[in-house]
Amino acid sequence: MCRLADLPEGGSRGFTLHNGAAAEDIFLVHHQGRITAYRNSCPHTGGPLDWVPDRFLNLDGDLIQCATHDALFRIEDGVCIAGPCAGRALTALQVEVRNDEVSVRLE
Ligand code: FES
């Protein structure tokens, strides 16, 4: 996916993964020493969350923010705490960091 050094603390990055003809948009967040990954798909419309590439967090950097509706999601579990999908959650993906390499398992 990427090197850990390419995803500094407080950062987020989007990726498009290709599996044959299918493409899947995901994003990673590095927050408080932990890497989390989610599908880049809001639970209420299925639309993407970022407003510019690699910008998934609010200005304080402590929540994931939908660029279209300002909905806020906790970084640690993807649960929406404010906005049109409050109480629902982003789809989390399993992350592994080994030898400075970050990888994500889609299923
Ligand atoms: S697309 Fe769901 S909160 Fe914006």
Side-chain angles (χ1 to χ4, degrees):
M1 182 76 32
C2 71
R3 292 177 35 230
L4 188 56
D6 296 329
L7 185 65
E9 171 68 35
S12 60
R13 277 186 72 178
F15 298 88
T16 300
L17 304 181
H18 297 277
N19 183 8
E24 180 91 50
D25 291 328
I26 72 158
F27 65 96
L28 304 176
V29 178
H30 189 172
H31 181 68
Q32 296 183 342
R34 182 171 172 236
I35 309 291
T36 50
Y38 295 100
R39 293 186 195 278
N40 187 9
S41 175
C42 178
H44 102 276
T45 68
L49 299 167
D50 47 327
W51 54 285
V52 295
D54 302 327
R55 293 295 303 266
F56 291 89
L57 303 181
N58 63 351
L59 289 177
D60 290 338
D62 58 354
L63 293 164
I64 297 162
Q65 183 169 17
C66 170
T68 310
H69 309 98
D70 293 335
L72 297 169
F73 303 82
R74 291 193 301 242
I75 293 172
E76 61 268 29
D77 59 8
V79 171
C80 180
I81 59 167
C85 47
R88 298 171 67 189
L90 302 171
T91 302
L93 301 168
Q94 191 175 336
V95 178
E96 183 174 285
V97 181
R98 185 182 300 173
N99 298 329
D100 192 45
E101 289 289 328
V102 181
S103 60
V104 171
R105 185 181 303 229
L106 283 180
E107 274 310 303

